[in-house]
Amino acid sequence: MRILLVEDDELLASGLSSALTRAKHLVEHVNDGEKAINAFQMSEFDMVILDLGLPKMDGTEVLKVIRQKHHVPILILSARDATKDRILGLDLGADDYLTKPFELDELLARIRVLERRQSGGSRNLLEIGQLTLDLAAYTVTWKGELLDLQRREFTLIKKLIENPQQVFNRSQLEESLYGWGDGVESNTIDVYVHNLRKKISPECIKTIRGVGYRIGKLD
């Protein structure tokens, strides 16, 4: 999942970025409100973690602007712990509100809840055929056997499973797997698709010639 982290505390942002990356998410970090708005003009995101006390534009204003055009899940992460602040954030369109200081495990759990809600599921498992992704343990099993997937392999198969009827072109998949500063080789997606077919099944990802890829047979 591609997450936009909007946080002006660089130390906290660094720690969160590392933790979320270990949880197999792709994290883009910006440190003020204006950059957050600009980020949405350049890229698509699956979720936003938003501080409120931001330079240049308060987080509540950022929330208003994002909500005018986007339905992406937004989790407020703020030191503003008054009841009126939580109510305001939720009324403006935030999907959840967590006050600082917080436990990392609770943040990850809340992210999973929003992720499940977005995909229409009620559990931390994504299942299609005999393939199961555990979003809490960040593991993948195929026919009951645990697979060793790299972070980007996990992200790629998860994106395809969450959207079983959609065909993704190469650019869409690259944007899901790589951050702004990452170099992308021209055959990168082909390599990950090849690896997943080898580790799971040759039929697990279907190539739509001239268009892109979608999930294939996983029986």
Side-chain angles (χ1 to χ4, degrees), residues 75-78 96-100 102-103 106-107 110:
L75 190 159
I76 291 176
L77 191 61
S78 175
D96 200 357
Y97 195 116
L98 182 61
T99 58
K100 302 174 183 176
F102 60 92
E103 294 290 336
E106 181 179 2
L107 174 63
R110 289 179 183 237

Side-chain angles (χ1 to χ4, degrees), residues 51-53 76-90 97-102:
D51 187 19
L52 294 182
I76 291 176
L77 191 61
S78 175
R80 299 177 187 173
D81 58 358
T83 300
K84 63 179 180 62
D85 292 314
R86 296 196 296 271
I87 292 173
L88 176 62
L90 295 171
Y97 195 116
L98 182 61
T99 58
K100 302 174 183 176
F102 60 92

Side-chain angles (χ1 to χ4, degrees), residues 81-207:
D81 58 358
T83 300
K84 63 179 180 62
D85 292 314
R86 296 196 296 271
I87 292 173
L88 176 62
L90 295 171
D91 281 346
L92 288 176
D95 297 274
D96 200 357
Y97 195 116
L98 182 61
T99 58
K100 302 174 183 176
F102 60 92
E103 294 290 336
L104 178 60
D105 286 345
E106 181 179 2
L107 174 63
L108 294 175
R110 289 179 183 237
I111 289 172
R112 290 194 296 271
V113 169
L114 294 178
E115 196 172 7
R116 291 199 306 268
R117 189 183 301 168
Q118 186 78 349
S119 61
S122 59
R123 300 188 298 163
N124 285 323
L125 301 179
L126 289 177
E127 299 173 296
I128 181 168
Q130 299 190 66
L131 187 72
T132 301
L133 276 70
D134 188 322
L135 302 179
Y138 316 114
T139 58
V140 180
T141 55
W142 168 243
K143 295 183 176 179
E145 181 179 347
L146 187 65
L147 302 181
D148 181 19
L149 298 189
Q150 298 178 22
R151 177 176 64 83
R152 289 189 175 116
E153 292 170 353
F154 181 96
T155 301
L156 176 55
I157 196 69
K158 175 176 173 290
K159 187 173 185 68
L160 295 177
I161 288 175
E162 287 178 329
N163 304 274
Q165 305 304 319
Q166 185 171 347
V167 178
F168 292 94
N169 62 40
R170 191 179 302 274
S171 296
Q172 289 173 312
L173 295 177
E174 287 174 350
E175 186 167 345
S176 297
L177 300 182
Y178 289 91
W180 293 326
D182 296 331
V184 183
E185 300 283 341
S186 60
N187 66 337
T188 294
I189 298 302
D190 297 328
V191 170
Y192 287 127
V193 169
H194 170 79
N195 290 345
L196 288 167
R197 285 170 174 164
K198 185 175 180 180
K199 293 179 180 181
I200 301 172
S201 161
E203 305 297 322
C204 71
I205 297 176
K206 183 176 180 59
T207 300

